[in-house]
Amino acid sequence: MNRFFLEKSPDRQGQVTFASEDRSHIARVLRLRPGDSVLAVFGGAEYQVELTQVGAGGVTGLVRAELRPHREPEIRVTLVQGLPKGDKMETIIQKGTEIGAAAFWPAQAERSVVKLDRGKAAGRRERWQKVAREAAQQSGRLTVPEVLPVGDLSEILAEIGRCRALALMLYEGEPAVGLRQALEQLSRTAVGAEGLRECFLVIGPEGGLTEAEVAVARQAGIIPATLGPRILRTETAGPAALAAILYHFGDFGD
């Protein structure tokens, strides 16, 4: 059944209004009509909706059933990604959303080839958010990961430190600590009986991270770790590590 994210919750009568960007797809591409059923998602809930109006005046529907599937990871992982070249960021966001990332934080690193001014950064962010929304819709997510504004990597690392957030950084210059060891260390550091509920994952751009950036990360309490003996592309490293993190904390099943 086709799924769509709502911009606001159903009203007291159970009526929903679909976003303008979905209206053309519903009416012209899918050619749905009043009486057809779709799934609508808002606020972590999924609704079975019967369409009541499909036309120039908009697309509306009536909730016939409310569902509460469990599809979101127990741990929130924000992927801090050094800006890569070309459209690689779109691939990272698409695959990261499918796997289960909670948010993405694009970072201007020292070795990022791409340099974005404020106007270009805003335009890219809008495009990236659309990619996240489409991937969340396709993969059955109950929330759309937020794409945060592009920031300077060193400033982002310092902010993570100020918030005392738990985080790890993939760095090929740290052969002594593997990802599994880093995750076990995060688990021990997590405060509270419920264990780790949120962490940040930092990935460098194609050229990797500089020693200065790694030093800022260490000062911020971020754990540098390696993924192993092979060098992964930046668009591969983030999704691979994200999947490993979610697996480690039980998101991929028993």
Side-chain angles (χ1 to χ4, degrees), residues 3 6 8-11 39-48 63-72 74 140-143:
R3 301 175 79 254
L6 301 174
K8 58 182 181 180
S9 64
D11 63 19
L39 294 175
V41 183
F42 182 85
E46 192 171 69
Y47 304 94
Q48 184 175 334
V63 173
R64 294 304 185 192
E66 179 177 346
L67 311 173
R68 290 276 176 179
H70 180 74
R71 297 201 192 106
E72 294 301 305
E74 293 293 334
R141 294 284 300 269
L142 297 178
T143 60

Side-chain angles (χ1 to χ4, degrees), residues 139-211:
S139 60
R141 294 284 300 269
L142 297 178
T143 60
V144 179
E146 180 183 8
V147 180
L148 299 166
V150 177
D152 177 81
L153 179 57
S154 292
E155 294 178 2
I156 292 173
L157 298 177
E159 178 64 24
I160 292 173
R162 283 192 294 271
C163 296
R164 297 185 178 180
L166 298 178
L168 58 87
M169 165 185 278
L170 294 189
Y171 177 50
E172 65 276 10
E174 181 56 69
V177 180
L179 181 58
R180 179 182 295 178
Q181 292 172 278
L183 291 174
E184 290 172 351
Q185 185 175 338
L186 282 181
S187 300
R188 292 193 298 269
T189 307
V191 178
E194 293 185 355
L196 186 62
R197 285 292 173 264
E198 182 173 13
C199 76
F200 290 80
L201 169 64
V202 182
I203 307 291
E206 289 92 346
L209 299 160
T210 65
E211 291 184 5

